[in-house]
PDB file of all heavy atoms in Angstrom:
ATOM      1  N   GLY T   1       6.997  -8.893  34.712  1.00 84.00           N
ATOM      2  CA  GLY T   1       7.863  -9.441  33.683  1.00 84.00           C
ATOM      3  C   GLY T   1       8.011 -10.946  33.752  1.00 84.00           C
ATOM      4  O   GLY T   1       8.438 -11.568  32.802  1.00 84.00           O
ATOM      5  N   MET T   2       7.662 -11.543  34.897  1.00 91.00           N
ATOM      6  CA  MET T   2       7.741 -12.993  35.043  1.00 91.00           C
ATOM      7  C   MET T   2       6.405 -13.601  34.631  1.00 91.00           C
ATOM      8  O   MET T   2       5.345 -13.086  34.977  1.00 91.00           O
ATOM      9  CB  MET T   2       8.045 -13.371  36.495  1.00 91.00           C
ATOM     10  CG  MET T   2       8.056 -14.872  36.714  1.00 91.00           C
ATOM     11  SD  MET T   2       8.597 -15.361  38.367  1.00 91.00           S
ATOM     12  CE  MET T   2       7.308 -14.703  39.387  1.00 91.00           C
ATOM     13  N   LEU T   3       6.456 -14.679  33.873  1.00 94.00           N
ATOM     14  CA  LEU T   3       5.252 -15.381  33.461  1.00 94.00           C
ATOM     15  C   LEU T   3       5.089 -16.610  34.349  1.00 94.00           C
ATOM     16  O   LEU T   3       6.051 -17.359  34.541  1.00 94.00           O
ATOM     17  CB  LEU T   3       5.359 -15.796  31.993  1.00 94.00           C
ATOM     18  CG  LEU T   3       4.126 -16.507  31.472  1.00 94.00           C
ATOM     19  CD1 LEU T   3       3.650 -15.818  30.215  1.00 94.00           C
ATOM     20  CD2 LEU T   3       4.443 -17.947  31.210  1.00 94.00           C
ATOM     21  N   VAL T   4       3.896 -16.786  34.898  1.00 95.00           N
ATOM     22  CA  VAL T   4       3.581 -17.940  35.737  1.00 95.00           C
ATOM     23  C   VAL T   4       2.473 -18.717  35.045  1.00 95.00           C
ATOM     24  O   VAL T   4       1.426 -18.155  34.740  1.00 95.00           O
ATOM     25  CB  VAL T   4       3.128 -17.505  37.146  1.00 95.00           C
ATOM     26  CG1 VAL T   4       2.800 -18.719  38.010  1.00 95.00           C
ATOM     27  CG2 VAL T   4       4.196 -16.642  37.816  1.00 95.00           C
ATOM     28  N   ASP T   5       2.702 -19.996  34.803  1.00 96.00           N
ATOM     29  CA  ASP T   5       1.739 -20.832  34.089  1.00 96.00           C
ATOM     30  C   ASP T   5       1.413 -22.048  34.953  1.00 96.00           C
ATOM     31  O   ASP T   5       2.267 -22.906  35.170  1.00 96.00           O
ATOM     32  CB  ASP T   5       2.347 -21.266  32.748  1.00 96.00           C
ATOM     33  CG  ASP T   5       1.350 -21.963  31.838  1.00 96.00           C
ATOM     34  OD1 ASP T   5       0.179 -22.150  32.226  1.00 96.00           O
ATOM     35  OD2 ASP T   5       1.759 -22.325  30.723  1.00 96.00           O
ATOM     36  N   PHE T   6       0.182 -22.093  35.478  1.00 96.00           N
ATOM     37  CA  PHE T   6      -0.280 -23.245  36.243  1.00 96.00           C
ATOM     38  C   PHE T   6      -0.852 -24.238  35.233  1.00 96.00           C
ATOM     39  O   PHE T   6      -1.904 -24.006  34.657  1.00 96.00           O
ATOM     40  CB  PHE T   6      -1.343 -22.834  37.266  1.00 96.00           C
ATOM     41  CG  PHE T   6      -0.828 -21.850  38.272  1.00 96.00           C
ATOM     42  CD1 PHE T   6      -1.045 -20.494  38.108  1.00 96.00           C
ATOM     43  CD2 PHE T   6      -0.112 -22.275  39.373  1.00 96.00           C
ATOM     44  CE1 PHE T   6      -0.565 -19.576  39.033  1.00 96.00           C
ATOM     45  CE2 PHE T   6       0.369 -21.378  40.302  1.00 96.00           C
ATOM     46  CZ  PHE T   6       0.142 -20.014  40.138  1.00 96.00           C
ATOM     47  N   VAL T   7      -0.147 -25.310  34.986  1.00 97.00           N
ATOM     48  CA  VAL T   7      -0.503 -26.269  33.940  1.00 97.00           C
ATOM     49  C   VAL T   7      -1.534 -27.257  34.474  1.00 97.00           C
ATOM     50  O   VAL T   7      -1.335 -27.853  35.542  1.00 97.00           O
ATOM     51  CB  VAL T   7       0.751 -27.013  33.428  1.00 97.00           C
ATOM     52  CG1 VAL T   7       0.383 -27.958  32.293  1.00 97.00           C
ATOM     53  CG2 VAL T   7       1.814 -26.016  32.975  1.00 97.00           C
ATOM     54  N   ASN T   8      -2.618 -27.439  33.740  1.00 96.00           N
ATOM     55  CA  ASN T   8      -3.652 -28.385  34.137  1.00 96.00           C
ATOM     56  C   ASN T   8      -3.164 -29.803  33.844  1.00 96.00           C
ATOM     57  O   ASN T   8      -3.168 -30.244  32.698  1.00 96.00           O
ATOM     58  CB  ASN T   8      -4.952 -28.095  33.388  1.00 96.00           C
ATOM     59  CG  ASN T   8      -6.076 -29.019  33.811  1.00 96.00           C
ATOM     60  OD1 ASN T   8      -5.894 -29.932  34.626  1.00 96.00           O
ATOM     61  ND2 ASN T   8      -7.252 -28.793  33.265  1.00 96.00           N
ATOM     62  N   VAL T   9      -2.742 -30.497  34.894  1.00 96.00           N
ATOM     63  CA  VAL T   9      -2.237 -31.862  34.750  1.00 96.00           C
ATOM     64  C   VAL T   9      -3.168 -32.875  35.415  1.00 96.00           C
ATOM     65  O   VAL T   9      -2.799 -34.023  35.614  1.00 96.00           O
ATOM     66  CB  VAL T   9      -0.805 -32.003  35.328  1.00 96.00           C
ATOM     67  CG1 VAL T   9       0.191 -31.188  34.515  1.00 96.00           C
ATOM     68  CG2 VAL T   9      -0.753 -31.632  36.799  1.00 96.00           C
ATOM     69  N   GLY T  10      -4.388 -32.443  35.759  1.00 94.00           N
ATOM     70  CA  GLY T  10      -5.308 -33.340  36.458  1.00 94.00           C
ATOM     71  C   GLY T  10      -4.857 -33.493  37.900  1.00 94.00           C
ATOM     72  O   GLY T  10      -4.524 -32.517  38.560  1.00 94.00           O
ATOM     73  N   GLN T  11      -4.831 -34.723  38.392  1.00 91.00           N
ATOM     74  CA  GLN T  11      -4.385 -34.985  39.763  1.00 91.00           C
ATOM     75  C   GLN T  11      -2.881 -34.790  39.838  1.00 91.00           C
ATOM     76  O   GLN T  11      -2.125 -35.568  39.269  1.00 91.00           O
ATOM     77  CB  GLN T  11      -4.740 -36.421  40.179  1.00 91.00           C
ATOM     78  CG  GLN T  11      -4.157 -36.865  41.502  1.00 91.00           C
ATOM     79  CD  GLN T  11      -4.659 -36.051  42.683  1.00 91.00           C
ATOM     80  OE1 GLN T  11      -5.826 -35.727  42.749  1.00 91.00           O
ATOM     81  NE2 GLN T  11      -3.768 -35.731  43.598  1.00 91.00           N
ATOM     82  N   GLY T  12      -2.441 -33.739  40.509  1.00 90.00           N
ATOM     83  CA  GLY T  12      -1.019 -33.454  40.634  1.00 90.00           C
ATOM     84  C   GLY T  12      -0.771 -31.978  40.445  1.00 90.00           C
ATOM     85  O   GLY T  12      -1.713 -31.178  40.427  1.00 90.00           O
ATOM     86  N   ASP T  13       0.479 -31.626  40.314  1.00 93.00           N
ATOM     87  CA  ASP T  13       0.851 -30.220  40.200  1.00 93.00           C
ATOM     88  C   ASP T  13       1.904 -30.020  39.134  1.00 93.00           C
ATOM     89  O   ASP T  13       2.768 -30.868  38.917  1.00 93.00           O
ATOM     90  CB  ASP T  13       1.435 -29.701  41.519  1.00 93.00           C
ATOM     91  CG  ASP T  13       0.377 -29.484  42.568  1.00 93.00           C
ATOM     92  OD1 ASP T  13      -0.628 -28.812  42.261  1.00 93.00           O
ATOM     93  OD2 ASP T  13       0.543 -29.982  43.689  1.00 93.00           O
ATOM     94  N   CYS T  14       1.858 -28.838  38.500  1.00 97.00           N
ATOM     95  CA  CYS T  14       2.908 -28.385  37.603  1.00 97.00           C
ATOM     96  C   CYS T  14       2.749 -26.889  37.398  1.00 97.00           C
ATOM     97  O   CYS T  14       1.680 -26.428  36.994  1.00 97.00           O
ATOM     98  CB  CYS T  14       2.857 -29.094  36.254  1.00 97.00           C
ATOM     99  SG  CYS T  14       4.139 -28.493  35.116  1.00 97.00           S
ATOM    100  N   THR T  15       3.816 -26.164  37.708  1.00 97.00           N
ATOM    101  CA  THR T  15       3.847 -24.725  37.472  1.00 97.00           C
ATOM    102  C   THR T  15       5.107 -24.412  36.679  1.00 97.00           C
ATOM    103  O   THR T  15       6.188 -24.906  37.016  1.00 97.00           O
ATOM    104  CB  THR T  15       3.866 -23.945  38.801  1.00 97.00           C
ATOM    105  OG1 THR T  15       2.735 -24.333  39.576  1.00 97.00           O
ATOM    106  CG2 THR T  15       3.835 -22.445  38.558  1.00 97.00           C
ATOM    107  N   ILE T  16       4.951 -23.616  35.631  1.00 98.00           N
ATOM    108  CA  ILE T  16       6.098 -23.192  34.827  1.00 98.00           C
ATOM    109  C   ILE T  16       6.329 -21.714  35.085  1.00 98.00           C
ATOM    110  O   ILE T  16       5.389 -20.915  35.049  1.00 98.00           O
ATOM    111  CB  ILE T  16       5.840 -23.438  33.324  1.00 98.00           C
ATOM    112  CG1 ILE T  16       5.637 -24.930  33.049  1.00 98.00           C
ATOM    113  CG2 ILE T  16       6.992 -22.866  32.487  1.00 98.00           C
ATOM    114  CD1 ILE T  16       5.155 -25.243  31.638  1.00 98.00           C
ATOM    115  N   LEU T  17       7.576 -21.363  35.361  1.00 97.00           N
ATOM    116  CA  LEU T  17       7.967 -19.965  35.529  1.00 97.00           C
ATOM    117  C   LEU T  17       8.917 -19.602  34.406  1.00 97.00           C
ATOM    118  O   LEU T  17       9.901 -20.298  34.162  1.00 97.00           O
ATOM    119  CB  LEU T  17       8.673 -19.761  36.869  1.00 97.00           C
ATOM    120  CG  LEU T  17       7.895 -20.177  38.108  1.00 97.00           C
ATOM    121  CD1 LEU T  17       8.782 -20.126  39.336  1.00 97.00           C
ATOM    122  CD2 LEU T  17       6.680 -19.299  38.289  1.00 97.00           C
ATOM    123  N   LYS T  18       8.592 -18.508  33.713  1.00 96.00           N
ATOM    124  CA  LYS T  18       9.456 -17.963  32.663  1.00 96.00           C
ATOM    125  C   LYS T  18       9.912 -16.605  33.176  1.00 96.00           C
ATOM    126  O   LYS T  18       9.103 -15.681  33.318  1.00 96.00           O
ATOM    127  CB  LYS T  18       8.682 -17.834  31.350  1.00 96.00           C
ATOM    128  CG  LYS T  18       9.505 -17.298  30.195  1.00 96.00           C
ATOM    129  CD  LYS T  18       8.652 -17.233  28.923  1.00 96.00           C
ATOM    130  CE  LYS T  18       9.434 -16.678  27.758  1.00 96.00           C
ATOM    131  NZ  LYS T  18       8.605 -16.598  26.538  1.00 96.00           N
ATOM    132  N   ILE T  19      11.204 -16.514  33.499  1.00 94.00           N
ATOM    133  CA  ILE T  19      11.745 -15.330  34.156  1.00 94.00           C
ATOM    134  C   ILE T  19      12.710 -14.631  33.209  1.00 94.00           C
ATOM    135  O   ILE T  19      13.676 -15.242  32.742  1.00 94.00           O
ATOM    136  CB  ILE T  19      12.462 -15.725  35.467  1.00 94.00           C
ATOM    137  CG1 ILE T  19      11.506 -16.505  36.372  1.00 94.00           C
ATOM    138  CG2 ILE T  19      13.032 -14.500  36.167  1.00 94.00           C
ATOM    139  CD1 ILE T  19      12.173 -17.205  37.523  1.00 94.00           C
ATOM    140  N   PRO T  20      12.461 -13.342  32.929  1.00 88.00           N
ATOM    141  CA  PRO T  20      13.388 -12.619  32.060  1.00 88.00           C
ATOM    142  C   PRO T  20      14.779 -12.530  32.689  1.00 88.00           C
ATOM    143  O   PRO T  20      14.908 -12.372  33.901  1.00 88.00           O
ATOM    144  CB  PRO T  20      12.783 -11.227  31.948  1.00 88.00           C
ATOM    145  CG  PRO T  20      11.437 -11.286  32.558  1.00 88.00           C
ATOM    146  CD  PRO T  20      11.378 -12.496  33.409  1.00 88.00           C
ATOM    147  N   SER T  21      15.792 -12.690  31.880  1.00 81.00           N
ATOM    148  CA  SER T  21      17.179 -12.515  32.314  1.00 81.00           C
ATOM    149  C   SER T  21      17.802 -11.512  31.358  1.00 81.00           C
ATOM    150  O   SER T  21      17.970 -11.809  30.178  1.00 81.00           O
ATOM    151  CB  SER T  21      17.939 -13.837  32.265  1.00 81.00           C
ATOM    152  OG  SER T  21      17.447 -14.726  33.225  1.00 81.00           O
ATOM    153  N   PHE T  22      18.124 -10.349  31.854  1.00 72.00           N
ATOM    154  CA  PHE T  22      18.638  -9.281  30.998  1.00 72.00           C
ATOM    155  C   PHE T  22      19.938  -9.713  30.340  1.00 72.00           C
ATOM    156  O   PHE T  22      20.867 -10.164  30.997  1.00 72.00           O
ATOM    157  CB  PHE T  22      18.812  -8.000  31.800  1.00 72.00           C
ATOM    158  CG  PHE T  22      17.508  -7.501  32.333  1.00 72.00           C
ATOM    159  CD1 PHE T  22      17.212  -7.582  33.672  1.00 72.00           C
ATOM    160  CD2 PHE T  22      16.548  -6.980  31.471  1.00 72.00           C
ATOM    161  CE1 PHE T  22      15.992  -7.143  34.159  1.00 72.00           C
ATOM    162  CE2 PHE T  22      15.329  -6.543  31.950  1.00 72.00           C
ATOM    163  CZ  PHE T  22      15.047  -6.630  33.296  1.00 72.00           C
ATOM    164  N   GLY T  23      19.985  -9.593  28.999  1.00 71.00           N
ATOM    165  CA  GLY T  23      21.173  -9.929  28.244  1.00 71.00           C
ATOM    166  C   GLY T  23      21.333 -11.409  27.963  1.00 71.00           C
ATOM    167  O   GLY T  23      22.306 -11.825  27.371  1.00 71.00           O
ATOM    168  N   GLU T  24      20.374 -12.234  28.414  1.00 77.00           N
ATOM    169  CA  GLU T  24      20.462 -13.681  28.209  1.00 77.00           C
ATOM    170  C   GLU T  24      19.094 -14.214  27.806  1.00 77.00           C
ATOM    171  O   GLU T  24      18.108 -13.484  27.796  1.00 77.00           O
ATOM    172  CB  GLU T  24      20.902 -14.362  29.516  1.00 77.00           C
ATOM    173  CG  GLU T  24      22.258 -13.924  30.024  1.00 77.00           C
ATOM    174  CD  GLU T  24      22.604 -14.574  31.359  1.00 77.00           C
ATOM    175  OE1 GLU T  24      22.012 -15.609  31.690  1.00 77.00           O
ATOM    176  OE2 GLU T  24      23.452 -14.027  32.060  1.00 77.00           O
ATOM    177  N   ASP T  25      19.049 -15.512  27.502  1.00 88.00           N
ATOM    178  CA  ASP T  25      17.762 -16.149  27.239  1.00 88.00           C
ATOM    179  C   ASP T  25      16.933 -16.147  28.517  1.00 88.00           C
ATOM    180  O   ASP T  25      17.468 -16.073  29.618  1.00 88.00           O
ATOM    181  CB  ASP T  25      17.969 -17.595  26.779  1.00 88.00           C
ATOM    182  CG  ASP T  25      18.580 -17.687  25.391  1.00 88.00           C
ATOM    183  OD1 ASP T  25      18.455 -16.713  24.620  1.00 88.00           O
ATOM    184  OD2 ASP T  25      19.194 -18.724  25.084  1.00 88.00           O
ATOM    185  N   ASP T  26      15.616 -16.258  28.368  1.00 93.00           N
ATOM    186  CA  ASP T  26      14.756 -16.351  29.534  1.00 93.00           C
ATOM    187  C   ASP T  26      15.128 -17.565  30.371  1.00 93.00           C
ATOM    188  O   ASP T  26      15.601 -18.581  29.852  1.00 93.00           O
ATOM    189  CB  ASP T  26      13.289 -16.461  29.108  1.00 93.00           C
ATOM    190  CG  ASP T  26      12.761 -15.173  28.500  1.00 93.00           C
ATOM    191  OD1 ASP T  26      13.241 -14.095  28.882  1.00 93.00           O
ATOM    192  OD2 ASP T  26      11.875 -15.258  27.632  1.00 93.00           O
ATOM    193  N   PHE T  27      14.907 -17.468  31.659  1.00 96.00           N
ATOM    194  CA  PHE T  27      15.182 -18.534  32.616  1.00 96.00           C
ATOM    195  C   PHE T  27      13.887 -19.307  32.812  1.00 96.00           C
ATOM    196  O   PHE T  27      12.843 -18.715  33.088  1.00 96.00           O
ATOM    197  CB  PHE T  27      15.636 -17.906  33.943  1.00 96.00           C
ATOM    198  CG  PHE T  27      16.083 -18.893  34.976  1.00 96.00           C
ATOM    199  CD1 PHE T  27      17.431 -19.143  35.169  1.00 96.00           C
ATOM    200  CD2 PHE T  27      15.167 -19.560  35.774  1.00 96.00           C
ATOM    201  CE1 PHE T  27      17.858 -20.035  36.132  1.00 96.00           C
ATOM    202  CE2 PHE T  27      15.579 -20.460  36.734  1.00 96.00           C
ATOM    203  CZ  PHE T  27      16.932 -20.695  36.916  1.00 96.00           C
ATOM    204  N   PHE T  28      13.937 -20.628  32.643  1.00 97.00           N
ATOM    205  CA  PHE T  28      12.751 -21.467  32.816  1.00 97.00           C
ATOM    206  C   PHE T  28      12.912 -22.363  34.034  1.00 97.00           C
ATOM    207  O   PHE T  28      13.919 -23.061  34.174  1.00 97.00           O
ATOM    208  CB  PHE T  28      12.505 -22.343  31.582  1.00 97.00           C
ATOM    209  CG  PHE T  28      11.816 -21.625  30.464  1.00 97.00           C
ATOM    210  CD1 PHE T  28      12.543 -20.918  29.519  1.00 97.00           C
ATOM    211  CD2 PHE T  28      10.430 -21.640  30.362  1.00 97.00           C
ATOM    212  CE1 PHE T  28      11.916 -20.242  28.493  1.00 97.00           C
ATOM    213  CE2 PHE T  28       9.788 -20.970  29.332  1.00 97.00           C
ATOM    214  CZ  PHE T  28      10.529 -20.266  28.389  1.00 97.00           C
ATOM    215  N   ALA T  29      11.895 -22.331  34.894  1.00 98.00           N
ATOM    216  CA  ALA T  29      11.826 -23.239  36.035  1.00 98.00           C
ATOM    217  C   ALA T  29      10.509 -24.002  35.937  1.00 98.00           C
ATOM    218  O   ALA T  29       9.469 -23.418  35.621  1.00 98.00           O
ATOM    219  CB  ALA T  29      11.895 -22.472  37.342  1.00 98.00           C
ATOM    220  N   VAL T  30      10.573 -25.288  36.189  1.00 98.00           N
ATOM    221  CA  VAL T  30       9.380 -26.124  36.236  1.00 98.00           C
ATOM    222  C   VAL T  30       9.271 -26.623  37.674  1.00 98.00           C
ATOM    223  O   VAL T  30      10.186 -27.280  38.171  1.00 98.00           O
ATOM    224  CB  VAL T  30       9.472 -27.319  35.254  1.00 98.00           C
ATOM    225  CG1 VAL T  30       8.252 -28.219  35.393  1.00 98.00           C
ATOM    226  CG2 VAL T  30       9.626 -26.822  33.828  1.00 98.00           C
ATOM    227  N   VAL T  31       8.171 -26.263  38.337  1.00 98.00           N
ATOM    228  CA  VAL T  31       7.951 -26.685  39.713  1.00 98.00           C
ATOM    229  C   VAL T  31       6.932 -27.810  39.681  1.00 98.00           C
ATOM    230  O   VAL T  31       5.754 -27.603  39.417  1.00 98.00           O
ATOM    231  CB  VAL T  31       7.471 -25.523  40.594  1.00 98.00           C
ATOM    232  CG1 VAL T  31       7.265 -25.996  42.036  1.00 98.00           C
ATOM    233  CG2 VAL T  31       8.465 -24.362  40.539  1.00 98.00           C
ATOM    234  N   ASP T  32       7.424 -29.015  39.897  1.00 97.00           N
ATOM    235  CA  ASP T  32       6.684 -30.270  39.773  1.00 97.00           C
ATOM    236  C   ASP T  32       6.298 -30.483  38.311  1.00 97.00           C
ATOM    237  O   ASP T  32       6.159 -29.520  37.553  1.00 97.00           O
ATOM    238  CB  ASP T  32       5.472 -30.343  40.697  1.00 97.00           C
ATOM    239  CG  ASP T  32       5.881 -30.503  42.159  1.00 97.00           C
ATOM    240  OD1 ASP T  32       6.954 -31.061  42.428  1.00 97.00           O
ATOM    241  OD2 ASP T  32       5.113 -30.073  43.037  1.00 97.00           O
ATOM    242  N   ALA T  33       6.180 -31.721  37.922  1.00 97.00           N
ATOM    243  CA  ALA T  33       5.966 -32.038  36.510  1.00 97.00           C
ATOM    244  C   ALA T  33       4.719 -32.879  36.279  1.00 97.00           C
ATOM    245  O   ALA T  33       4.562 -33.469  35.219  1.00 97.00           O
ATOM    246  CB  ALA T  33       7.198 -32.750  35.951  1.00 97.00           C
ATOM    247  N   GLY T  34       3.846 -32.922  37.272  1.00 96.00           N
ATOM    248  CA  GLY T  34       2.598 -33.653  37.120  1.00 96.00           C
ATOM    249  C   GLY T  34       2.808 -35.148  37.010  1.00 96.00           C
ATOM    250  O   GLY T  34       3.936 -35.650  37.051  1.00 96.00           O
ATOM    251  N   PRO T  35       1.718 -35.901  36.839  1.00 97.00           N
ATOM    252  CA  PRO T  35       1.812 -37.354  36.673  1.00 97.00           C
ATOM    253  C   PRO T  35       2.284 -37.710  35.260  1.00 97.00           C
ATOM    254  O   PRO T  35       2.224 -36.880  34.352  1.00 97.00           O
ATOM    255  CB  PRO T  35       0.376 -37.822  36.914  1.00 97.00           C
ATOM    256  CG  PRO T  35      -0.466 -36.659  36.493  1.00 97.00           C
ATOM    257  CD  PRO T  35       0.330 -35.428  36.838  1.00 97.00           C
ATOM    258  N   SER T  36       2.727 -38.925  35.079  1.00 96.00           N
ATOM    259  CA  SER T  36       3.281 -39.339  33.781  1.00 96.00           C
ATOM    260  C   SER T  36       2.273 -39.171  32.646  1.00 96.00           C
ATOM    261  O   SER T  36       2.652 -38.788  31.540  1.00 96.00           O
ATOM    262  CB  SER T  36       3.781 -40.777  33.839  1.00 96.00           C
ATOM    263  OG  SER T  36       2.729 -41.652  34.183  1.00 96.00           O
ATOM    264  N   GLN T  37       0.989 -39.411  32.906  1.00 96.00           N
ATOM    265  CA  GLN T  37      -0.006 -39.300  31.831  1.00 96.00           C
ATOM    266  C   GLN T  37      -0.211 -37.858  31.365  1.00 96.00           C
ATOM    267  O   GLN T  37      -0.803 -37.628  30.315  1.00 96.00           O
ATOM    268  CB  GLN T  37      -1.338 -39.957  32.208  1.00 96.00           C
ATOM    269  CG  GLN T  37      -2.008 -39.415  33.435  1.00 96.00           C
ATOM    270  CD  GLN T  37      -1.627 -40.149  34.709  1.00 96.00           C
ATOM    271  OE1 GLN T  37      -0.519 -40.637  34.850  1.00 96.00           O
ATOM    272  NE2 GLN T  37      -2.556 -40.213  35.645  1.00 96.00           N
ATOM    273  N   ALA T  38       0.306 -36.880  32.098  1.00 96.00           N
ATOM    274  CA  ALA T  38       0.184 -35.480  31.687  1.00 96.00           C
ATOM    275  C   ALA T  38       1.487 -34.929  31.122  1.00 96.00           C
ATOM    276  O   ALA T  38       1.572 -33.753  30.792  1.00 96.00           O
ATOM    277  CB  ALA T  38      -0.266 -34.632  32.873  1.00 96.00           C
ATOM    278  N   SER T  39       2.506 -35.780  30.974  1.00 96.00           N
ATOM    279  CA  SER T  39       3.817 -35.274  30.556  1.00 96.00           C
ATOM    280  C   SER T  39       3.787 -34.636  29.169  1.00 96.00           C
ATOM    281  O   SER T  39       4.474 -33.638  28.932  1.00 96.00           O
ATOM    282  CB  SER T  39       4.876 -36.378  30.621  1.00 96.00           C
ATOM    283  OG  SER T  39       4.566 -37.425  29.735  1.00 96.00           O
ATOM    284  N   ALA T  40       2.986 -35.148  28.258  1.00 97.00           N
ATOM    285  CA  ALA T  40       2.901 -34.536  26.923  1.00 97.00           C
ATOM    286  C   ALA T  40       2.345 -33.118  27.016  1.00 97.00           C
ATOM    287  O   ALA T  40       2.790 -32.222  26.284  1.00 97.00           O
ATOM    288  CB  ALA T  40       2.032 -35.384  25.998  1.00 97.00           C
ATOM    289  N   THR T  41       1.411 -32.895  27.917  1.00 97.00           N
ATOM    290  CA  THR T  41       0.855 -31.557  28.127  1.00 97.00           C
ATOM    291  C   THR T  41       1.920 -30.605  28.644  1.00 97.00           C
ATOM    292  O   THR T  41       2.041 -29.468  28.177  1.00 97.00           O
ATOM    293  CB  THR T  41      -0.331 -31.617  29.114  1.00 97.00           C
ATOM    294  OG1 THR T  41      -1.330 -32.477  28.582  1.00 97.00           O
ATOM    295  CG2 THR T  41      -0.915 -30.250  29.384  1.00 97.00           C
ATOM    296  N   VAL T  42       2.719 -31.063  29.609  1.00 98.00           N
ATOM    297  CA  VAL T  42       3.775 -30.232  30.192  1.00 98.00           C
ATOM    298  C   VAL T  42       4.819 -29.888  29.130  1.00 98.00           C
ATOM    299  O   VAL T  42       5.203 -28.724  28.972  1.00 98.00           O
ATOM    300  CB  VAL T  42       4.416 -30.930  31.406  1.00 98.00           C
ATOM    301  CG1 VAL T  42       5.598 -30.130  31.936  1.00 98.00           C
ATOM    302  CG2 VAL T  42       3.385 -31.156  32.508  1.00 98.00           C
ATOM    303  N   VAL T  43       5.260 -30.874  28.381  1.00 98.00           N
ATOM    304  CA  VAL T  43       6.260 -30.653  27.332  1.00 98.00           C
ATOM    305  C   VAL T  43       5.713 -29.702  26.268  1.00 98.00           C
ATOM    306  O   VAL T  43       6.393 -28.766  25.837  1.00 98.00           O
ATOM    307  CB  VAL T  43       6.720 -31.994  26.712  1.00 98.00           C
ATOM    308  CG1 VAL T  43       7.521 -31.778  25.443  1.00 98.00           C
ATOM    309  CG2 VAL T  43       7.524 -32.795  27.736  1.00 98.00           C
ATOM    310  N   SER T  44       4.470 -29.896  25.855  1.00 98.00           N
ATOM    311  CA  SER T  44       3.847 -29.033  24.860  1.00 98.00           C
ATOM    312  C   SER T  44       3.753 -27.592  25.365  1.00 98.00           C
ATOM    313  O   SER T  44       4.017 -26.645  24.615  1.00 98.00           O
ATOM    314  CB  SER T  44       2.454 -29.565  24.514  1.00 98.00           C
ATOM    315  OG  SER T  44       1.790 -28.700  23.648  1.00 98.00           O
TER     316      SER T  44
END
């Protein structure tokens, strides 16, 4: 039920976790956000 997305940010790291929360909106965690030049990719 949890979605794990390893975002291609080039040199660096970014993983997005989308975790179901019963009765609420999904819980989003971003583990590292990559370098600044990849921020548009992460936001998108």
Side-chain angles (χ1 to χ4, degrees):
M2 177 173 65
L3 181 127
V4 180
D5 189 359
F6 299 97
V7 183
N8 182 357
V9 294
Q11 172 63 41
D13 285 309
C14 178
T15 304
I16 298 171
L17 303 171
K18 181 179 179 181
I19 304 167
S21 292
F22 297 108
E24 299 177 20
D25 290 337
D26 290 330
F27 186 99
F28 279 88
V30 176
V31 181
D32 289 332
S36 59
Q37 59 268 32
S39 63
T41 301
V42 175
V43 168
S44 175

